[in-house]
Amino acid sequence: MDVDTRLLRSFRAVAEEGSLTRAAQRLYLSQPALTKQIRQLEERLGARLFQRSKHGMAPTAAGEALAAALPSVLDAWDAARRAVRGAEAEASRVLRVGFLASAANEKTQPIIARFRECRPDWRIELRQASWGDPAAGLVSGEVDAAFMRLPFPRQDEFASLALLTEPRCVAMAAGHPLARRESLRFEELLDEPFIAAPGAAGAFRDHWVAADARGGRPVKVGAVAEHPDDWLTAIANGDGIALAPASAARYYARPDIAYREVEGVAPSTVALVWPKAVPPSGPLSDLIAAAAALAD
Amino acid sequence: MDVDTRLLRSFRAVAEEGSLTRAAQRLYLSQPALTKQIRQLEERLGARLFQRSKHGMAPTAAGEALAAALPSVLDAWDAARRAVRGAEAEASRVLRVGFLASAANEKTQPIIARFRECRPDWRIELRQASWGDPAAGLVSGEVDAAFMRLPFPRQDEFASLALLTEPRCVAMAAGHPLARRESLRFEELLDEPFIAAPGAAGAFRDHWVAADARGGRPVKVGAVAEHPDDWLTAIANGDGIALAPASAARYYARPDIAYREVEGVAPSTVALVWPKAVPPSGPLSDLIAAAAALAD
DNA sequence: AGTATCGATAACCTGACGTTATGGATGTCG
DNA sequence: CGACATCCATAACGTCAGGTTATCGATACT
């Protein structure tokens, strides 16, 4: 009987959450979709994996057996995937590095240049990811490392080297009434509609609407943006405002957008990030050294 | 990046065969379907896994890396699946045994009765499989053991205990001209249309059209049958004839079907079969002992 | 009784993935 | 050199798998 690792991850989420509804939220699926997945897994395995009740889903003995055996399967696949990626990188002499928006700002090019001095016959392929994947291809294994803004989903599975920290500011349409001010406090922005990242971005999305500074009040989402382009457009159109790193005023300057200082929100850190499961060696180690030499 | 083990098995088949076309045949898929699968795997892994040429598919370094890592993944999943099945059997006190057609003939019930004496609080659930799955649920892991006719696909992965051997006869419509004879030679049947098992049955299908006794001549297929019912109907309707175990004359007697002796084809063996990867213990071991006591 | 929460089911829609048919490239043979 | 064979890739098409929203039944709580 074949299985998709996606089904196994769904099973694991249900087993950990003890609830279909909560697991579905965590997986960014609807509850019926997850119900079907679990039923499908049960039917194909020929075993009832959960005892259903009003209180949720309690694993059966068979369910416990699967939960116990699951790490071996997922880790084996993860290792296989990394082995493929490693062989491909060696064969092509390309290190793939994911990034969002402006990567590591002005440090990006010097880091790459430094790496190139160290490894003249290698090259770095930069891959931009959408905000729907704030881990910039690291979780999926498409890239070897990434320039990322903290926090991002599943951060505990990765090692990171902080490169720079910068304050956050607020971006709004140039004609917005608050744009007449040089500096704002975050409480003044609580009722404004915000441009948010997609739901699947999880903690990353929460961070960029400063959910932790809202005292439990839900954010009003004016629009959802996946890329800098649509984000800029939505802001300029007045669909909402957004928190942004201070560097955005340099990298994304436009006459129809005003960037203003804001107090009451934590600064933003950019880090070079790589999987903990991959002890750095060879080219990856060199990239990390290059970045460390230029870190704040 | 998630993956379905089915894709991994497809990859393995291509890597082993070194040819998409031959691997597609082995997997009972069309070649374009398999092309798509491999392309999908390559795209999602972000690596070219094969070098394509007129001569076939040669694995790249990345492809070799995946081939090397693959057994760990598939074995881990196999172990997980068996752990689930084992926990389920223990919890429900049910041993699942697959079978085709008449199982182990008259020995079936005595074996089960003997097992019950040994394990009074256990029970055996018999599951009939179609001829599209001549391994009767063993390969897919749906059952713990099976009464099977040799040969069956992937037989080398299983241990077997031969229970009985019986000659094969030929079944045909009662009004067939050859039915007037008591005994026939297989060469006399070479031009007759045969009722065959589905293509996915592989070696099992070949065995029951006696491909090995045809000297390379292809069999003419009059109809395909998946179950004894449609097989009997097709024979009675004159769509074709078929080889059958001698016991079929007892278990599947009908006034419109004649069973006749045939020389020149090997006899048929029924065995109790279980996975080599599962050293028999507990209830499975008891079932094997019960069957051994009644074997020829 | 009203409300909240849980998982299950129904209806619906989209896209994934299979098939057959065909094509391009290369090699072999008469 | 032309005909044929063989390989993998691509196109067109059809089916159904798997997602969604809406709703339901069961239970618990106030």
Side-chain angles (χ1 to χ4, degrees):
Chain A
M1 177 237 156
D2 286 309
V3 73
D4 194 306
T5 51
R6 185 154 175 265
L7 274 196
L8 297 180
R9 289 192 301 102
S10 293
F11 164 82
R12 186 175 61 179
V14 176
E16 288 176 358
E17 294 284 345
S19 151
L20 265 179
T21 311
R22 284 203 302 279
Q25 284 166 0
R26 175 168 142 188
L27 296 165
Y28 303 102
L29 283 184
S30 65
Q31 173 257 315
L34 190 54
T35 291
K36 279 191 182 177
Q37 286 186 5
I38 299 300
R39 293 303 306 267
Q40 182 188 122
L41 198 51
E42 286 179 319
E43 277 161 22
R44 290 160 71 180
L45 280 170
R48 192 43 65 115
L49 299 174
F50 295 104
Q51 193 73 3
R52 272 93 162 156
S53 80
K54 160 75 180 55
H55 307 289
M57 308 277 276
T60 59
E64 302 274 10
L66 181 57
L70 210 43
S72 298
V73 183
L74 295 177
D75 289 350
W77 169 239
D78 203 51
R81 207 192 57 201
R82 293 189 197 286
V84 171
R85 179 70 209 111
E88 172 71 11
E90 284 289 342
S92 59
R93 291 197 164 81
V94 172
L95 208 47
R96 287 198 195 137
V97 180
F99 72 100
L100 299 174
S102 52
N105 297 345
E106 288 89 354
K107 294 190 181 188
T108 312
Q109 274 316 130
I111 290 172
I112 292 174
R114 202 170 177 103
F115 172 81
R116 280 221 183 100
E117 284 172 17
C118 195
R119 294 262 174 180
D121 54 341
W122 279 66
R123 101 186 142 82
I124 286 193
E125 181 181 299
L126 288 175
R127 290 194 172 194
Q128 182 161 17
S130 82
W131 291 334
D133 178 20
L138 256 186
V139 168
S140 68
E142 292 170 46
V143 299
D144 305 297
F147 293 120
M148 309 214 339
R149 291 208 174 252
L150 311 181
F152 59 91
R154 293 163 60 172
Q155 193 167 326
D156 55 306
E157 301 177 28
F158 299 93
S160 58
L161 167 70
L163 298 176
L164 66 96
T165 296
E166 61 184 318
R168 287 192 280 180
C169 63
V170 59
M172 62 190 72
H176 195 289
L178 292 177
R180 292 193 219 112
R181 311 257 298 281
E182 287 295 330
S183 182
L184 301 156
R185 286 189 319 269
F186 186 64
E187 305 105 63
E188 302 179 79
L189 306 176
L190 288 180
D191 290 324
E192 295 289 327
F194 266 65
I195 311 301
F204 179 84
R205 171 178 156 129
D206 292 340
H207 175 72
W208 287 103
V209 296
D212 57 347
R214 290 180 182 264
R217 292 175 58 170
V219 58
K220 194 188 311 175
V221 176
V224 172
E226 292 230 13
H227 298 101
D229 283 347
D230 33 324
W231 181 82
L232 289 166
T233 302
I235 292 168
N237 285 350
D239 296 342
I241 65 175
L243 292 177
S247 55
R250 306 196 296 279
Y251 283 87
Y252 298 104
R254 285 172 49 144
D256 50 358
I257 290 183
Y259 294 94
R260 296 290 178 262
E261 289 180 1
V262 62
E263 294 174 15
V265 290
S268 170
T269 300
V270 177
L272 180 66
V273 184
W274 63 95
K276 276 183 185 167
V278 182
S281 65
L284 179 58
S285 183
D286 293 335
L287 177 64
I288 293 165
L294 295 161
D296 280 349
Chain B
M1 179 235 156
D2 287 308
V3 71
D4 195 305
T5 51
R6 183 154 176 265
L7 275 196
L8 297 180
R9 287 192 303 103
S10 293
F11 165 82
R12 186 174 61 179
V14 175
E16 288 176 359
E17 294 281 347
S19 152
L20 265 179
T21 311
R22 284 203 302 278
Q25 284 167 359
R26 171 169 145 187
L27 296 166
Y28 302 100
L29 284 185
S30 66
Q31 172 259 314
L34 189 53
T35 290
K36 277 190 183 176
Q37 285 187 6
I38 299 300
R39 293 305 305 267
Q40 183 188 123
L41 198 52
E42 285 179 320
E43 276 161 23
R44 289 160 72 178
L45 280 169
R48 195 39 70 114
L49 299 173
F50 294 103
Q51 193 75 5
R52 274 92 161 155
S53 79
K54 160 79 176 72
H55 307 290
M57 308 276 276
T60 59
E64 301 273 10
L66 181 55
L70 212 41
S72 298
V73 184
L74 296 175
D75 289 351
W77 169 239
D78 203 51
R81 208 192 57 202
R82 293 190 196 283
V84 170
R85 177 73 209 109
E88 174 70 10
E90 284 290 340
S92 59
R93 292 198 164 82
V94 173
L95 208 49
R96 289 200 194 134
V97 179
F99 74 97
L100 300 172
S102 51
N105 297 342
E106 289 90 353
K107 295 190 182 190
T108 312
Q109 274 316 131
I111 290 172
I112 293 175
R114 202 175 178 99
F115 172 80
R116 278 219 185 104
E117 284 174 15
C118 195
R119 294 261 174 182
D121 55 342
W122 279 66
R123 105 185 138 82
I124 286 192
E125 180 180 298
L126 288 175
R127 290 195 171 193
Q128 182 161 20
S130 82
W131 291 333
D133 176 20
L138 258 187
V139 169
S140 68
E142 292 169 47
V143 298
D144 305 298
F147 293 120
M148 310 210 342
R149 291 211 175 248
L150 313 180
F152 59 91
R154 292 162 62 172
Q155 193 167 325
D156 55 306
E157 301 176 27
F158 300 93
S160 59
L161 166 70
L163 298 177
L164 66 96
T165 297
E166 59 184 322
R168 286 192 281 179
C169 64
V170 60
M172 64 189 74
H176 195 289
L178 292 176
R180 293 195 217 110
R181 312 257 298 280
E182 286 295 330
S183 182
L184 299 156
R185 286 191 316 275
F186 186 62
E187 304 104 62
E188 301 180 79
L189 306 176
L190 289 181
D191 291 325
E192 295 287 328
F194 267 64
I195 312 298
F204 180 83
R205 171 180 156 122
D206 292 340
H207 177 73
W208 288 101
V209 296
D212 58 348
R214 289 179 181 266
R217 292 175 60 169
V219 56
K220 195 190 310 174
V221 176
V224 173
E226 292 229 14
H227 299 101
D229 283 347
D230 32 327
W231 181 82
L232 289 166
T233 302
I235 292 168
N237 287 349
D239 295 343
I241 66 174
L243 292 178
S247 55
R250 304 195 296 278
Y251 283 87
Y252 298 103
R254 284 173 44 146
D256 49 358
I257 289 182
Y259 296 95
R260 298 291 180 259
E261 290 180 358
V262 62
E263 295 174 10
V265 292
S268 169
T269 301
V270 178
L272 180 66
V273 185
W274 64 96
K276 276 182 184 168
V278 183
S281 65
L284 179 58
S285 183
D286 293 335
L287 177 64
I288 293 164
L294 294 162
D296 280 351

